[in-house]
Amino acid sequence: MRPEYAMRADETASVLSPAPPLTGLSVRAKILLTFLLIAVVMGGILGLVWHGKGQFDQVNRRMVEEHLQAVSVVKELQLAVMTQDHAVSRYLLSGDPRWLETGDAERSRITQALLRCHPLFDTRAEVEVLEELEKSLGRHRRRMDDVLQVHRAGAQGEPEANRLRRESGLLPEILRQSESLLSIHQGLLERNQAEAQRMAGRYRKLEYATLLLAVLATLSAVLVLRSTVLAPINSLAEGARQFGRGQLDHRVPVHGDDEFGRLSRTFNEMAAALQRERGRLTEMSMTDELTRLRNFRHFASRLEEEIRRAERYGHPLALVLFDIDHFKLYNDTHGHPAGNEVLRVIGRLLRDNARQTDLLARYGGEEFVAILPETTKADTVQLAEKICRLIELHKFPGEEQQPGGRLTVSAGVAAVPEDLAHSPLLLDAADRALYAAKAAGRNCVVAYSPEMGMPRRDHTLRLRPN
């Protein structure tokens, strides 16, 4: 274990020191015990509430069912009376015996409906109305019988039908009495429901008072548990999630000086160490160790980004390739350490004379590359010539043995949109310009022109051999 992550001996002793029985339990045991007590209390209270509510609902449901049954019977009675009246009328008009059979069937339905009404309407007011309804039905039935008897004696159907209609004043009275019966029953139902509601309300108040006490006690226990156990656990869990997303700058709050507090501090120390290590590794992964410029991998990634940005917004983008003239001769004459020193010096000169927005990288071997966003071709050529002159004027050890007596560089420049319509061709265009600079005698800057040939659409960035 690394020293910065290890727990000191005195901290270990404090963790293992004697503690009260409850605090000696594990975090999982504390949580389970707390929630078990909460579940028992809440279960008992909710059981009482549900029991009372179930009784109330059962009584209320029974009253509603009885009322619906009473309404159904009365409506059936009304329908049977009206259907019978209609069937007899049609029989008198048409003489069709099927209408007479329908009337007899409806008379039987009326009798059965009256029998079903008696157990449903048992209060004094309901019994009185029901008796009046039975009398009206009896008078209506006798008049029907009289009309049919006259008809069977040979009288014409139309006069009997007219008489039935004139004396049908009993039908509205029957309907009114049946509706009155329902109205009385509805009133009784509402009064009974109101009384049941009052009783249930008093019972619920007692239950709610008990439930409120249980909730307050449970809430107090939960708050204590949350502040001592759950809050540190949630903080550590959130820290782990942030770490999983790569957010190594995240820090967890320290809750006190207990086990969770020490764990949180250790967590933060580990996060800081990992953040520093990741920063160092990130810098190493994108930096050329010799020149301290960006390496080829980072250059390739940034070039793709700058190309996409230039194409998306139509902004200018320029690229410069530098190559040390006769570097192999210098290396062979003075040795690799001297050659490495030349690479370091040129890297420093490039870095000191470029803008912060430019990206400088070692392209491979003795080649360097510069990406210049938002830069025109003319400005890029001017900057490249400045750097070439600075390198030519710099005193390198043993440069007098180089051709021309100085160590120099050549540069190739390409830019969009001046030279090319498509940014992905930029690198190959700069490479052609660099070859042209070499062919022109070296120690110069050459910008791309169409006479150098059309660049290839090749997204594969190549490394030149050292």
Side-chain angles (χ1 to χ4, degrees):
M1 180 179 295
R2 294 182 58 174
E4 60 266 34
Y5 301 152
M7 185 176 288
R8 300 194 305 269
D10 56 341
E11 293 177 338
T12 306
S14 65
V15 173
L16 301 178
S17 58
L22 184 59
T23 57
L25 296 175
S26 65
V27 174
R28 178 179 296 180
K30 290 180 183 179
I31 295 175
L32 291 177
L33 182 60
T34 302
F35 280 101
L36 179 61
L37 293 175
I38 293 173
V40 170
V41 174
M42 293 296 292
I45 297 299
L46 291 177
L48 290 176
V49 173
W50 287 341
H51 176 71
K53 186 177 182 299
Q55 287 185 334
F56 167 74
D57 290 343
Q58 185 178 1
V59 173
N60 191 48
R61 190 182 305 110
R62 186 170 58 251
M63 288 189 297
V64 171
E65 289 175 354
E66 290 178 355
H67 177 68
L68 292 177
Q69 186 179 2
V71 171
S72 175
V73 172
V74 171
K75 293 298 181 182
E76 183 181 351
L77 176 63
Q78 292 174 342
L79 180 61
V81 171
M82 290 186 291
T83 303
Q84 182 194 28
D85 184 84
H86 177 72
V88 172
S89 298
R90 297 295 297 176
Y91 170 71
L92 294 175
L93 291 173
S94 63
D96 190 344
R98 289 179 296 179
W99 287 111
L100 186 60
E101 294 175 358
T102 301
D104 293 339
E106 294 302 324
R107 176 176 293 189
S108 299
R109 287 181 59 193
I110 293 172
T111 303
Q112 294 175 1
L114 283 175
L115 293 175
R116 291 165 57 192
C117 283
H118 285 285
L120 296 174
F121 302 98
D122 53 358
T123 64
R124 182 175 179 179
E126 291 173 334
V127 170
E128 290 177 355
V129 174
L130 184 59
E131 289 176 352
E132 293 178 1
L133 178 60
E134 287 180 330
K135 293 177 182 179
S136 298
L137 288 171
R139 291 195 299 271
H140 185 265
R141 184 170 53 251
R142 287 192 294 274
R143 290 188 179 181
M144 289 283 187
D145 292 340
D146 292 342
V147 170
L148 292 174
Q149 186 176 2
V150 172
H151 178 74
R152 292 189 184 97
Q156 295 297 325
E158 184 65 27
E160 283 90 352
N162 291 333
R163 175 189 169 194
L164 181 61
R165 292 189 186 94
R166 289 193 302 271
E167 296 180 354
S168 62
L170 289 174
L171 184 59
E173 181 180 355
I174 291 173
L175 296 177
R176 179 187 58 78
Q177 290 172 343
S178 60
E179 290 296 335
S180 177
L181 188 63
L182 287 179
S183 177
I184 295 173
H185 196 272
Q186 177 67 29
L188 292 174
L189 174 66
E190 291 176 354
R191 287 193 294 272
N192 290 336
Q193 285 183 324
E195 181 62 25
Q197 289 282 3
R198 285 192 294 271
M199 293 179 61
R202 289 193 295 267
Y203 182 67
R204 279 197 299 271
K205 287 180 181 179
L206 178 61
E207 292 177 337
Y208 291 157
T210 307
L211 180 61
L212 180 60
L213 293 176
V215 169
L216 291 176
T218 302
L219 182 61
S220 301
V222 169
L223 291 177
V224 172
L225 181 63
R226 183 179 183 275
S227 62
T228 57
V229 177
L230 297 183
I233 289 178
N234 290 335
S235 298
L236 290 169
E238 179 61 24
R241 282 192 291 270
Q242 294 295 336
F243 269 32
R245 301 187 186 108
Q247 301 296 327
L248 296 183
D249 57 344
H250 179 79
R251 299 294 181 268
V252 299
V254 178
H255 299 275
D257 195 31
D258 56 4
E259 297 89 345
F260 286 112
R262 290 192 291 273
L263 180 60
S264 299
R265 279 193 292 273
T266 303
F267 188 93
N268 290 337
E269 292 171 2
M270 179 187 67
L274 290 175
Q275 187 178 14
R276 290 192 297 270
E277 185 68 15
R278 186 175 72 171
R280 188 180 68 85
L281 293 176
T282 301
E283 183 66 21
M284 289 176 59
S285 68
M286 58 193 296
T287 303
D288 179 67
E289 185 176 359
L290 180 62
T291 63
R292 308 311 301 168
L293 300 178
R294 296 308 181 195
N295 58 19
F296 176 80
R297 184 192 306 273
H298 184 69
F299 158 73
S301 175
R302 278 292 303 276
L303 180 60
E304 293 291 338
E305 293 177 6
E306 294 299 337
I307 286 175
R308 287 194 295 268
R309 185 179 295 111
E311 290 185 336
R312 182 182 303 116
Y313 300 109
H315 293 175
L317 176 65
L319 193 70
V320 185
L321 278 174
F322 296 95
D323 185 89
I324 303 175
D325 298 328
H326 302 293
F327 183 71
K328 185 177 185 302
L329 175 61
Y330 188 92
N331 236 2
D332 294 341
T333 303
H334 302 285
H336 289 289
N340 289 342
E341 182 61 25
V342 168
L343 293 174
R344 279 192 288 268
V345 172
I346 292 180
R348 177 173 55 80
L349 291 173
L350 289 171
R351 190 166 52 249
D352 293 343
N353 290 277
R355 303 170 304 180
Q356 290 185 350
T357 55
D358 301 335
L359 183 131
L360 301 169
R362 185 182 179 190
Y363 189 58
E366 71 273 17
E367 288 184 317
F368 299 86
V369 64
I371 302 175
L372 288 76
E374 307 287 343
T375 307
T376 63
K377 182 178 181 180
D379 292 338
T380 305
V381 170
Q382 184 178 0
L383 176 63
E385 289 177 343
K386 173 186 174 182
I387 293 174
C388 287
R389 296 290 78 80
L390 289 172
I391 294 174
E392 181 184 10
L393 295 174
H394 188 83
K395 299 299 182 180
F396 292 95
E399 66 176 356
E400 63 276 1
Q401 301 180 30
Q402 291 290 103
R406 291 186 180 278
L407 192 145
T408 59
V409 298
S410 301
V413 175
V416 290
E418 290 102 331
D419 293 332
L420 303 167
H422 301 289
S423 299
L425 306 177
L426 189 62
L427 182 60
D428 192 63
D431 195 47
R432 291 173 182 267
L434 177 59
Y435 277 113
K438 293 287 186 179
R442 296 180 171 84
N443 191 24
C444 62
V445 177
V446 174
Y448 172 79
S449 63
E451 291 78 11
M452 300 175 187
M454 289 302 296
R456 301 183 307 275
R457 181 181 289 273
D458 186 3
H459 291 272
T460 304
L461 300 176
R462 54 175 176 74
L463 271 173
R464 293 178 179 271
N466 291 331

